Amino acid sequence: MIGLALRLLRLGGRRAWTSAGLVGAGVAVATTLLTVAVGALHGLDERESRTDWRTPAVAAADPVAQLRLRTDSAAGRPITQVDLVAPVATAAPPPGLPRMPAPGEVWVSPALAELLGTLPADELAARYPGPATGLLGEAGLQSPDELVAVIGRPAGDPVLTVPGRSDVVPVAGFDVPRPAGRDFAMTDVYRQLTIVAVALVVFPVAGLLGASARLSAARRSERLATLRLLGASVRQVTVVAVAEVTAVAAVAAVVGVLLEWALSPLVAMIPLAGGGWFAADVRPGLLACLAIVAGVALLATASAVGGLRRVVVGPLGVVRRQQAQGARWLRLLGVAAALVVLLVVNAAMNVVSVDVVGIVFVAAVLAMSGAVALIGPLVVRLLGARMAAGARSVPGLLAGRRLLDDPKGAFRPLAGLTLAVFVAGFLAPMTSVAAGVSPADGAALQITAPAGATGLEGATRARLASIGLPATVTAVDDPRDRVDLTVLPADPAELDRARTALEGLVPGAVVQTEAEQRHEETVLVGDLQRGALVVLVAAFLVAATATGTAAAARVLDHRHTLRLLALAGTPLDALDRARRAETLRPLVANGAIALVLGLLCATPAVAAAKALEPSGLLTLGGVLVAGAVLVLAATAASRPLLRSVTAPDQERSR
């Protein structure tokens, strides 16, 4: 029977190949996006594994080095500076280095080496004890464009005692695994945010996979029902249905994974956490790729099997097109359950630990996304009944009846756009919060000295005067037993020269602006805005694919009815206006509901009213415009197909 199924697909003619192509296109796009989402999580794990050495296991005695991790800056870019004090030459070196750095040596990342060769020495190179000794390898870098300097320091170096925002760690060994239960790090924040972003994308992608597998459901059901009436057993019918859909979906899934691998250099250019990626980071492992392909094939199989019940139980009704595809009120129970999940998550957000907050939040995202998908066909059914009862024109009556007869099928082309609106409603208040974060001062340099330091102002002015750089200098005694020195260069372009000139003024201190001290926060805000844009683009890419393919497939699945209407004298323009009516009105209704549910879903993290701020309104407005354009484009693109299936010679060419 598998051979029969594949033969029916191979010899089915242009229509069979068109349907298979639509299924394959939808599955390939969905699989590519799903692989990108899984690749993002894989990339974060790879990054963390390469940078774990910067927060090593703490030694109780006899450390191999004293490590202090700090952030410097040059040319507006952060430089991760790793100071190793009194390193033991025979100990295992940090990843990416051939040996332990000796005091006075400076090992730099390739990107920092390039920057050192570009900037004048008085803007960067003069800060280090000597020229670059060698390059830090990929094994010790977060990203290919990361600026890193590993500096060997002698025993008793002032870097150990100077005030700062980081602690000194006695290193047990760079080859010694850290004990479990480490402190929460910024990487964990990104992992939790990525999990939420993946959840926002995965549900629309899964919906597209299911919709793609059912694109030619009507044509397939008729053929299988005919086989059933001719005496085929339930098992044989099941094998035929599953083999055809699974074969197309599996091939398309492999194409989708290969496409993601081919596009990984472009995906790797999307910055996150202050840098890009190595292309291998965003490529899931072989087992993960096999799991994605198997999962896609299983989902396609489940979709095919789910459509067999009517064929097995009532094949004659399928052939005669007597089965209605209603949407039951029972769906409201699912919506109520989703709201309960949201309330539970809202309460749990105040008590769960930070390292699992994203996973908890995903439960609300998936539940509310499911509510959007559940209530959609019911809204279509109610709207269809109202349109049919109050129709004043032929297109209105046709649209109402088609919605009422098959609300699930009518909602399928709208599901992607509806979920995209849900995603936009969820992200709108988030982007408003990110846009509202006030920028830090990036013009004045700050130096922190131990309490009791004297003559700092005079020494600072003398150093700046020696290079002819005017600046305003002030010193303030901080209540935390330290002295804070502020330097404001008259020319902002001279910031790096001033920073380099002041290197060593307070031995061991790093000279930074307030904005540079808050660099991680600034990067996180930018990543939130960029991530929201990426998720929205992904959601609308899914929506565009689903809308276009499902609109065309709906014409193919209803070609018999459309042809009969055309033969009865219904103008093509009336059929086309009916298609627009059965798309736009349900989309507006479901989009409004999805927007409300998206705003509700965001409430455990941020107030929904934030969506009314300029950034949120811009997001929502862009979504509405994009949604309208997609619907109109999908309708226009499938008009030639409508014309072809209603042509007079269409029946004879079958």
Side-chain angles (χ1 to χ4, degrees):
M1 297 303 291
I2 295 178
L4 174 61
L6 297 179
R7 180 175 297 179
L8 289 173
L9 175 62
R10 182 170 56 87
L11 302 177
R14 182 170 57 87
R15 293 197 188 94
W17 283 101
T18 300
S19 298
L22 291 172
V23 173
V27 172
V29 171
T31 305
T32 300
L33 292 176
L34 183 61
T35 310
V36 169
V38 175
L41 291 174
H42 177 265
L44 288 174
D45 291 338
E46 290 296 302
R47 275 184 170 185
E48 186 175 21
S49 68
R50 289 196 303 271
T51 57
D52 271 350
W53 65 273
R54 302 177 193 177
T55 52
V58 178
D62 299 326
V64 300
Q66 302 282 338
L67 181 148
R68 192 166 192 182
L69 185 68
R70 300 183 295 173
T71 302
D72 196 4
S73 298
R77 299 173 62 186
I79 302 174
T80 299
Q81 181 171 312
V82 185
D83 295 299
L84 296 178
V85 181
V88 177
T90 57
L97 290 181
R99 57 178 174 78
M100 188 75 83
E105 290 187 340
V106 182
W107 294 78
V108 299
S109 64
L112 181 55
E114 182 180 350
L115 188 63
L116 284 167
T118 302
L119 294 179
D122 63 353
E123 292 187 14
L124 179 57
R127 303 178 200 174
Y128 301 123
T133 307
L135 296 180
L136 182 63
E138 178 180 321
L141 297 176
Q142 172 182 282
S143 59
D145 54 351
E146 187 183 23
L147 305 180
V148 184
V150 182
I151 304 174
R153 304 280 188 182
D157 192 276
V159 73
L160 294 173
T161 56
V162 69
R165 299 163 62 89
S166 60
D167 299 325
V168 177
V169 178
V171 181
F174 292 107
D175 55 349
V176 177
R178 292 180 305 177
R182 64 181 177 84
D183 294 336
F184 189 78
M186 186 59 69
T187 303
D188 299 295
V189 175
Y190 279 98
R191 182 175 288 104
Q192 301 303 311
L193 291 174
T194 304
I195 289 173
V196 175
V198 169
L200 287 170
V201 175
V202 162
F203 205 98
V205 166
L208 174 57
L209 287 172
S212 298
R214 295 189 298 267
L215 285 179
S216 56
R219 181 176 178 274
R220 189 165 59 246
S221 295
E222 293 175 15
R223 187 172 64 234
L224 297 177
T226 302
L227 290 175
R228 186 82 172 96
L229 289 173
L230 290 175
S233 66
V234 173
R235 185 186 65 83
Q236 289 173 324
V237 170
T238 303
V239 170
V240 170
V242 169
E244 178 181 338
V245 176
T246 305
V248 174
V251 172
V254 172
V255 171
V257 170
L258 294 177
L259 184 60
E260 192 275 344
W261 274 59
L263 294 176
S264 57
L266 296 178
V267 176
M269 295 173 64
I270 301 175
L272 188 71
W277 310 75
F278 293 101
D281 289 350
V282 294
R283 292 170 178 161
L286 179 60
L287 290 179
C289 291
L290 291 175
I292 291 172
V293 172
V296 169
L298 286 175
L299 180 57
T301 301
S303 299
V305 172
L308 287 178
R309 185 179 63 84
R310 293 189 307 119
V311 176
V312 173
V313 176
L316 183 60
V318 173
V319 174
R320 299 177 61 181
R321 300 178 177 84
Q322 290 181 344
Q323 282 80 0
Q325 300 292 305
R328 300 180 180 180
W329 289 97
L330 194 63
R331 292 171 174 267
L332 292 179
L333 293 179
V335 177
L339 293 174
V340 171
V341 171
L342 179 63
L343 292 175
V344 172
V345 169
N346 199 9
M349 291 287 285
N350 298 321
V351 296
V352 298
S353 59
V354 182
D355 55 345
V356 297
V357 68
I359 299 174
V360 173
F361 203 47
V362 162
V365 172
L366 294 178
M368 299 304 285
S369 297
V372 172
L374 280 174
I375 202 172
L378 185 58
V379 172
V380 170
R381 172 191 160 188
L382 296 176
L383 190 60
R386 181 175 179 180
M387 290 172 64
R392 296 293 183 270
S393 64
V394 172
L397 179 61
L398 289 175
R401 286 307 310 174
R402 282 162 61 85
L403 294 177
L404 190 57
D405 289 344
D406 188 9
K408 295 179 184 178
F411 177 69
R412 201 164 294 140
L414 311 177
L417 283 173
T418 303
L419 287 168
V421 173
F422 168 82
V423 172
F426 176 86
L427 293 176
M430 305 284 189
T431 56
S432 294
V433 171
V437 175
S438 58
D441 179 18
L445 295 169
Q446 298 179 352
I447 310 173
T448 302
T454 59
L456 287 180
E457 286 189 64
T460 300
R461 291 191 175 93
R463 287 199 178 194
L464 296 177
S466 66
I467 61 173
L469 200 158
T472 303
V473 182
T474 56
V476 178
D477 290 328
D478 192 287
R480 292 169 290 183
D481 294 330
R482 66 188 196 186
V483 178
D484 292 332
L485 186 71
T486 302
V487 178
L488 180 62
D491 184 0
E494 299 286 357
L495 198 65
D496 283 333
R497 281 190 66 215
R499 191 198 314 271
T500 306
L502 297 176
E503 178 70 26
L505 177 68
V506 176
V510 174
V511 185
Q512 292 180 300
T513 66
E514 181 188 0
E516 290 161 354
Q517 293 172 3
R518 292 173 52 185
H519 172 71
E520 283 191 342
E521 175 187 332
T522 304
V523 170
L524 179 60
V525 170
D527 286 339
L528 284 173
Q529 295 174 315
R530 192 180 303 108
L533 178 61
V534 170
V535 171
L536 274 177
V537 169
F540 270 95
L541 182 57
V542 171
T545 305
T547 301
T549 56
R554 188 161 167 79
V555 173
L556 291 175
D557 286 345
H558 292 84
R559 64 186 181 279
H560 182 75
T561 303
L562 292 170
R563 175 166 173 75
L564 291 179
L565 288 170
L567 291 174
T570 307
L572 179 63
D573 183 63
L575 295 176
D576 199 35
R577 282 189 289 139
R579 286 195 315 128
R580 285 198 298 269
E582 70 180 68
T583 300
L584 290 175
R585 293 187 186 182
L587 177 62
V588 171
N590 279 297
I593 295 173
L595 179 60
V596 172
L597 292 180
L599 292 172
L600 283 176
C601 189
T603 52
V606 62
K610 290 289 185 179
L612 300 178
E613 295 184 2
S615 179
L617 290 176
L618 181 62
T619 300
L620 295 179
V623 166
L624 294 177
V625 172
V629 170
L630 281 178
V631 169
L632 294 175
T635 303
S638 58
R639 182 179 174 86
L641 188 59
L642 175 65
R643 185 182 297 110
S644 69
V645 301
T646 56
D649 60 341
Q650 185 70 19
E651 195 70 32
R652 293 193 298 271
S653 64
R654 293 177 61 180

